[in-house]
Structure formats: structure tokens, C-alpha cells
Amino acid sequence: MRTSSGKTEDDPIDDSVEEAAPAAPAPRSSGVAVLTRLVVVLAVLAVAGGGVWLVTRASTPEASPLTTEIPALQVKAADVRPGSVAPAGGAVAGGAEQQTSPQQARSTGPATLSQWASQVAAASGVPARALQAYGNAELAMRADQPKCRISWATLAGIGRIESNHGQYAGAVLGADGRPSKPIIGVPLDGSAGVQAIGDTDGGRYDGDAGVDRAVGPMQFIPGTWRKWASDGNGDGLGDPQQIDDAALAAARYLCAGGRDMASPSGWWAGILSYNNSTEYAQKVFGLADGYAKAAQSVRKQG
């Protein structure tokens, strides 16, 4: 979502620290004991302070160096007129008639979402771990916003263009749904081909305190992420680098305003809201249509 924009301000952070009142002077006879206690307290504070710094440092990624890899360049745009048709639908974990809920499925078809993902991965070329995230996002939205009818295949199309399913610039998507290194896009500084978006997160998500960069497998701009942050893997956190979280946030973004992502008009409106480029939408269309048909072939064989 490199050309999308999100304009939300960071919540103010209270940096004030309450100063403790000075302690009354200790008697001279207990001076050594007091000094010993003071040394211990300072040592504990130093360790605690160092620990907080390490945690903060670890949670703020460094801005990645520029790369010439652009996943979208390898994708051919489908020859389809915008608004004329929506991509083929794909069935998650055995079919929509099962009314499956996130991370589980019922008796017919593959027994679990992971089994479905393994089968479809072989036919579609999409990594199974990424398919689990896209499929789970569809199932979650089916339960939360059934009229949206968002398809995992559409999410997979976006994921392929944005980060090659979490494998951008040599990253490897782990079993925990996180890439082996943070996926951070180019600076959105107004240079050729990119928008100019000033910093909205102080570098918290993208490691760049000067301008914003898109982050994670679905390439959310920090301001947009803060609005749509989601917890797709149920760990109580919303992390744009974690593909379950990112896929669910993308699904919620696309379904905004009661949009029907299975209708031609709704699908095109949703994708163009993600990236206002007809060529981009045509590329997502071709990918989504191909992924859905690959999944259908697997189901027929089963």
C-alpha cells in the first residue's frame, strides 16, 4: 500500500517524571549501611533502565536500506475493464457453506485451515503460512462482517504485490508469521513515483523519524495502521509485521463502509482505495483470480 495515505495523529505521550522528595539525612553512625543500600539501589535502577532501553530499541526497527526489488514489476496486469467483473471466488478450508470460524473448520474438506493451506500452496505457489493468514482473515470477516464477502484470494493478490507474501528483499516468513527481517518500504519523501507523507509515528513502526514508510507484509503506512491495527493471531497485540495481523487489518480496511468485495463495483472500489492505480488493481485481479481457480482445482481433486 505504498501509495495509500492515512492521516491519524499519534496519541500524546506523557514524558513527565515525578521527582521524589529528598530523603532526610541519615545519622553518621549508619552512613556506611546507607551508602551500601544506595549503591545497591543504583545498580538495580541501572539494570532496570538498561532493560527498558533494550526492549524499546528492539521494538523499533531500523530503516531498511533501499532495494531495487519491486514485487509488483514481476506481475502482469489482467486485461479487464475496471468495475466490469470481480475475480473468481475461493473456498477456505472446504467451502463457505461450512460457516467456519477463524483457525478452524468442520468435517467436510480439509480438517483444518493449515491442511487447506498446505494443499492450496502446492497448487498456487503461495507459501502455506501466508495462506493461513489470508484464509483466517476471510473467516474472521465472514463472522464479523458477512456482507463484505472478502476473499482470501484477494488478500493473497495484494500480499503478492506488496511483499511477495512476506518475502520482500530476501526475507523469510517464519512459522510465527513474522518475516526474518522487518519489511519496510521506501521513504515516502515525494521523490519520483512516491507520495510525500511526513512522519506520523516518530519512527516507531518504520524506523524513520523523518518521513513515513510502508511497513509489513501488506505494506501499511504507519498512520493507516494505527487506524486499522488488528490482532489476527490472537496474541493480544497488533503488529504490522506479523502476517495474520496485517492480513486481517487489510481485510477490515477493504470492507470499510459496508463494501461488498464480491461484487464488481465493490471489489474495484476496495482495491483502488488500497492503491489508487488501475494497473495495480488489474494486477491484483489477475493474481486473485488465478489463486482462487487454483484452490478450486484442488477442491475438485479432493
Side-chain angles (χ1 to χ4, degrees):
M1 198 161 61
R2 292 184 179 82
T3 60
S4 301
S5 62
K7 298 181 180 178
T8 55
E9 297 294 330
D10 287 325
D11 296 329
I13 299 175
D14 185 1
D15 291 325
S16 62
V17 178
E18 183 178 354
E19 295 184 1
R28 187 175 181 81
S29 60
S30 60
V32 174
V34 172
L35 180 60
T36 300
R37 293 193 192 98
L38 181 59
V39 170
V40 172
V41 170
L42 289 175
V44 171
L45 289 175
V47 171
V52 171
W53 182 86
L54 287 173
V55 170
T56 303
R57 179 69 174 175
S59 63
T60 303
E62 293 184 1
S64 58
L66 297 181
T67 174
T68 57
E69 178 187 342
I70 302 176
L73 292 181
Q74 305 167 7
V75 178
K76 182 180 179 180
D79 185 13
V80 58
R81 181 169 56 84
S84 61
V85 65
V92 173
E97 71 277 4
Q98 294 181 50
Q99 295 299 307
T100 46
S101 59
Q103 301 292 1
Q104 65 184 18
R106 297 187 181 178
S107 57
T108 61
T112 65
L113 182 61
S114 62
Q115 290 178 353
W116 169 84
S118 295
Q119 293 180 9
V120 174
S124 66
V126 180
R129 184 61 185 85
L131 282 170
Q132 289 183 47
Y134 306 140
N136 187 65
E138 178 190 321
L139 296 174
M141 295 306 294
R142 188 185 300 171
D144 187 55
Q145 297 184 44
K147 293 183 178 180
C148 175
R149 299 193 293 171
I150 182 74
S151 168
W152 66 268
T154 289
L155 297 171
I158 293 174
R160 168 63 182 85
I161 287 182
E162 297 293 354
S163 71
N164 193 20
H165 309 299
Q167 301 172 112
Y168 177 69
V172 176
L173 189 63
D176 62 355
R178 292 182 58 85
S180 55
K181 55 185 178 181
I183 297 175
I184 302 176
V186 300
L188 298 176
D189 55 7
S191 57
V194 298
Q195 285 186 329
I197 301 179
D199 176 66
T200 62
D201 67 333
R204 175 184 177 187
Y205 295 113
D206 56 15
D208 191 332
V211 295
D212 269 352
R213 300 182 182 215
V215 296
M218 304 301 277
Q219 287 289 276
F220 273 95
I221 294 169
T224 308
W225 173 256
R226 290 180 63 229
K227 180 177 180 179
W228 297 100
S230 303
D231 177 19
N233 63 349
D235 65 355
L237 302 172
D239 181 356
Q241 296 289 345
Q242 206 281 335
I243 197 167
D244 299 298
D245 295 353
L248 180 56
R252 293 178 57 228
Y253 180 98
L254 292 168
C255 290
R259 187 178 289 126
D260 180 2
M261 288 295 295
S263 70
S265 61
W267 190 90
W268 285 90
I271 300 304
L272 290 173
S273 76
Y274 207 89
N275 188 321
N276 191 22
S277 163
T278 297
E279 183 182 17
Y280 177 95
Q282 289 172 327
K283 290 185 176 186
V284 174
F285 183 101
L287 289 165
D289 196 63
Y291 291 151
K293 290 175 179 176
Q296 289 173 359
S297 68
V298 170
R299 189 179 181 189
K300 292 177 181 177
Q301 294 172 4

